[in-house]
Amino acid sequence: MLRWTLTLALCFVSISVARAQAKKPALLPPSESIDKAIDHYVDGLIREDKQTSAPLPDDANLVRRLTLDLVGRIPTWHETRQYLESKSPDKKRELIDRLMSSPAYARHQAQEFLVFLQNSEPNRKGAKKGPLYDYLHASIKENRPWDEMFRDMILAEENDKTKGASEFLKSRVKDLNRLTVDVSIAFFGVNVSCAQCHDHPHVEAWTQDHFYGMKSFFSRTVDVGAYLGEKDFGNVKYVPNKGAEKVSPVMFLTGKALDVPGMKEPTAEEKKKDQARIDDAKKAKKAPAPPKFSLRAKFAENALEASQRHFFARAIVNRLWQRFYFRGLVTPLDQMHIENPASHPQLMDWLARDLIDHKYDLKRLTRHLVMTQTYARSSRWDKETFPAEHYFALAQVRALTPMQLATSLKIASADPDGLPRDSLQLDKWIEQQNGSAERLAGFFVQPGDNFQVSVSEAMLFSNNDSILKELLTGPSTLVAKVLKEKSLEQRAEMAINHVLSRSAESAEINILANYLRERQDRPEEAAQQMIWVLLTSGEFRFNH
């Protein structure tokens, strides 16, 4: 029965997508704002298919969601209360601007980009910082355009501005098949691995030439110690399913083949001279002289040409959309091909065009993604049947990433009087906790689409004495602050405010106060247990 239900559901989604594609009305004009364009297309499909959407969440919920998504932590109770008490008609925009101007914005976004560029698998430990993180952090802090960052990572040149960018290729250069797949997924939203051994089974237009054509762009790249070099000669040969071994064309995903030098077998003298250039650089521990013709430079240029760049622009739009809405306009993220259309094709086209027109400004796109009504919908649903996810009719519940969870645990368990109220000072305080937060983050896994709290995480919270001591013991903790309140009800209310970043309901206060009342002979232990329950609750563990 379940199989038939899933089959029918998939058919329903396919019909909706096909209908949306078939109409193909003219795109909204470029002058429309991003947030209004998003709401126009998303709400339009909801109305067309006679669906309903969730209402807006309460203000405390929205503050928490925005703070987690933009700076990677929960808000302090002071920040939440400040927003709740604000009478400004533009308080949402003002909050977004404040968060995005914070140094924490660049740190958190760099961590998020590191995860996807390192291709961190769900249910594995989070991505570790290193040279690539440093490059990403500096780039996002300066708001470098995405196409420029792409070129830096592909060209892999080492200078003051691009230091660390080469790590993307360096970590993969010894396995060109993996490099080819990872480049295709990260920058173009396409997993070409299925075309490695045979023509793609589901996309008729993709052949083995597409995989090996992409691989050819990197076939001359070599590891030169601390640097990457590129030879003057080299091609890729493979044996197709049918026929004899062949030399692969140098070809981009669109099928555009390039005529490049160095494809013929070099003479012995040419080969010797080419290898000497690489060997001399390795001995001197410096970057080798550039090749006569760079395949990687040609690749970067070709990917950004007007006739080719739709792959590049759509892929990053889809990835950012998935980051803030939990599901991509195209899903899975690495299956952006003609047989797997976007849920909102016109919206995808509009966003890609807008990104190109505005010089690949990701900060601008991010700001408008979180300004929409679509982003601000509640995750609560009180009707019997949930709408299909591709409608984006309600917010999806998302597990916190390792660093989000670790940093939020540090904030929620701290004495609120010790947390600065000034935004910049608070950010400095959080940065000072970064080392211990990273250590704490190492205990948690990178969440996937179907994340569930694991037994090991539950056992960790129950049995790890060092974590219990760090978060719940000492004069600078929330536990110590709570114990200064004489009323048990005030203790309960304070714990809920500071851990869950919202006002407490009377029923919750009564339950927790009764718990404390039954343990008045051991008040510190009771307060620790109360706060521990809140810290390990589903409401705290997820972004909702």
Side-chain angles (χ1 to χ4, degrees), residues 282-521:
K282 187 178 288 188
K283 289 177 184 177
K285 297 182 179 180
K286 64 180 184 180
K292 296 175 183 176
F293 179 87
S294 171
L295 276 174
R296 293 205 314 273
K298 191 64 178 175
F299 173 71
E301 174 192 330
N302 190 71
L304 297 171
E305 283 182 2
S307 61
Q308 314 286 328
R309 64 191 179 190
H310 57 281
F311 269 108
F312 180 74
R314 287 161 59 91
I316 191 61
V317 163
N318 198 46
R319 193 165 287 276
L320 284 182
W321 183 280
Q322 188 268 350
R323 167 101 63 81
F324 296 108
Y325 296 90
F326 191 62
R327 172 191 171 93
L329 290 168
V330 174
T331 189
L333 296 180
D334 64 351
Q335 296 296 320
M336 296 187 70
H337 52 72
I338 193 170
E339 303 296 337
N340 187 37
S343 58
H344 299 69
Q346 287 75 37
L347 175 56
M348 174 64 86
D349 290 344
W350 192 96
L351 289 172
R353 181 188 68 184
D354 181 84
L355 185 66
I356 293 168
D357 289 348
H358 290 88
K359 312 300 182 186
Y360 297 95
D361 185 342
L362 299 188
K363 191 170 186 179
R364 174 180 174 274
L365 175 58
T366 295
R367 183 180 184 277
H368 286 278
L369 285 172
V370 299
M371 280 290 293
T372 65
Q373 295 289 89
T374 303
Y375 172 83
R377 300 199 209 283
S378 174
S379 61
R380 295 178 182 271
W381 191 257
D382 57 7
K383 299 178 178 62
E384 184 176 345
T385 304
F386 280 81
E389 288 183 0
H390 77 278
Y391 286 113
F392 303 102
L394 75 161
Q396 298 297 314
V397 175
R398 296 168 280 159
L400 302 189
T401 65
M403 275 302 291
Q404 281 179 321
L405 179 56
T407 307
S408 297
L409 284 168
K410 298 289 291 185
I411 291 171
S413 63
D415 180 352
D417 290 343
L419 295 174
R421 297 197 171 188
D422 175 77
S423 295
L424 289 177
Q425 293 302 316
L426 176 62
D427 190 76
K428 288 180 180 178
W429 182 90
I430 292 169
E431 189 171 14
Q432 290 170 359
Q433 311 301 312
N434 208 34
S436 59
E438 284 185 21
R439 179 187 57 77
L440 190 58
F443 289 110
F444 308 116
V445 299
Q446 188 65 34
D449 292 345
N450 299 309
F451 174 83
Q452 292 183 340
V453 176
S454 65
V455 173
S456 60
E457 182 176 313
M459 295 297 290
L460 170 75
F461 277 120
S462 300
N463 300 325
N464 192 303
D465 291 338
S466 65
I467 293 180
L468 296 173
K469 184 176 180 180
E470 180 178 349
L471 300 179
L472 300 176
T473 305
S476 60
T477 61
L478 178 60
V479 170
K481 175 65 175 175
V482 160
L483 289 172
K484 293 176 182 178
E485 297 292 329
K486 293 183 179 179
S487 163
L488 298 181
E489 284 75 16
Q490 288 176 321
R491 293 182 183 185
E493 183 176 16
M494 178 179 288
I496 292 170
N497 291 162
H498 291 284
V499 176
L500 301 182
S501 308
R502 62 168 174 82
S503 299
E505 298 176 3
S506 57
E508 296 172 320
I509 294 173
N510 290 336
I511 290 171
L512 292 181
N514 286 335
Y515 178 87
L516 299 176
R517 190 169 292 111
E518 292 171 359
R519 292 159 180 78
Q520 291 191 79
D521 59 327

Side-chain angles (χ1 to χ4, degrees), residues 1-18 49 51 327 385-391:
M1 182 65 185
L2 177 60
R3 184 176 63 184
W4 283 108
T5 302
L6 290 173
T7 302
L8 288 171
L10 288 172
C11 288
F12 179 69
V13 170
S14 300
I15 291 169
S16 296
V17 169
D49 285 358
Q51 300 290 310
R327 172 191 171 93
T385 304
F386 280 81
E389 288 183 0
H390 77 278
Y391 286 113

Side-chain angles (χ1 to χ4, degrees), residues 83 85-95 371:
Y83 188 84
E85 295 171 356
S86 174
K87 304 299 182 184
S88 170
D90 292 327
K91 65 181 185 178
K92 179 182 173 183
R93 177 184 57 78
E94 292 164 359
L95 171 63
M371 280 290 293

Side-chain angles (χ1 to χ4, degrees), residues 105-320:
Y105 172 79
R107 291 199 301 270
H108 176 57
Q109 301 309 316
Q111 181 68 34
E112 292 289 306
F113 271 80
L114 182 68
V115 168
F116 99 73
L117 288 172
Q118 286 192 344
N119 201 19
S120 297
E121 295 181 24
N123 302 320
R124 300 286 179 88
K125 300 300 183 183
K128 292 184 178 180
K129 293 181 178 179
L132 182 57
Y133 170 84
D134 294 337
Y135 167 77
L136 292 168
H137 181 235
S139 298
I140 292 170
K141 188 176 180 180
E142 296 175 16
N143 196 28
R144 291 179 193 163
W146 179 237
D147 60 334
E148 182 179 318
M149 293 170 67
F150 163 69
R151 281 193 296 266
D152 289 346
M153 286 183 269
I154 294 300
L155 298 182
E157 298 169 344
E158 289 286 344
N159 57 53
D160 290 341
K161 188 176 181 181
T162 65
K163 187 176 181 180
S166 62
E167 194 63 28
F168 181 84
L169 293 187
K170 275 183 190 176
S171 63
R172 299 165 166 89
V173 70
K174 293 181 180 179
D175 184 348
L176 290 185
N177 287 339
R178 180 195 168 201
L179 175 58
T180 301
V181 172
D182 286 358
V183 166
S184 300
I185 291 173
F187 298 111
F188 309 105
V190 171
N191 190 337
V192 294
S193 61
C194 283
Q196 182 176 344
C197 301
H198 46 72
D199 292 348
H200 198 291
H202 304 301
V203 186
E204 185 178 348
W206 285 2
T207 66
Q208 285 180 279
D209 277 350
H210 286 80
F211 176 86
Y212 291 102
M214 285 285 286
K215 183 177 178 178
S216 296
F217 283 109
F218 304 100
S219 62
R220 299 176 191 175
T221 299
V222 291
D223 190 350
V224 190
Y227 302 92
L228 288 177
E230 197 170 357
K231 293 187 174 182
D232 285 321
F233 302 94
N235 54 40
V236 171
K237 298 177 182 179
Y238 76 95
V239 179
N241 277 345
K242 298 178 180 179
E245 181 182 73
K246 63 180 288 189
V247 174
S248 171
V250 179
M251 190 171 79
F252 190 59
L253 292 168
T254 57
K256 178 183 176 182
L258 306 179
D259 183 17
V260 300
M263 295 294 286
K264 295 181 179 179
E265 189 68 25
T267 65
E269 183 63 27
E270 287 174 328
K271 187 181 294 186
K272 182 179 177 181
K273 186 177 180 180
D274 197 24
Q275 187 62 47
R277 177 173 59 88
I278 301 299
D279 292 341
D280 290 346
K282 187 178 288 188
K283 289 177 184 177
K285 297 182 179 180
K286 64 180 184 180
K292 296 175 183 176
F293 179 87
S294 171
L295 276 174
R296 293 205 314 273
K298 191 64 178 175
F299 173 71
E301 174 192 330
N302 190 71
L304 297 171
E305 283 182 2
S307 61
Q308 314 286 328
R309 64 191 179 190
H310 57 281
F311 269 108
F312 180 74
R314 287 161 59 91
I316 191 61
V317 163
N318 198 46
R319 193 165 287 276
L320 284 182

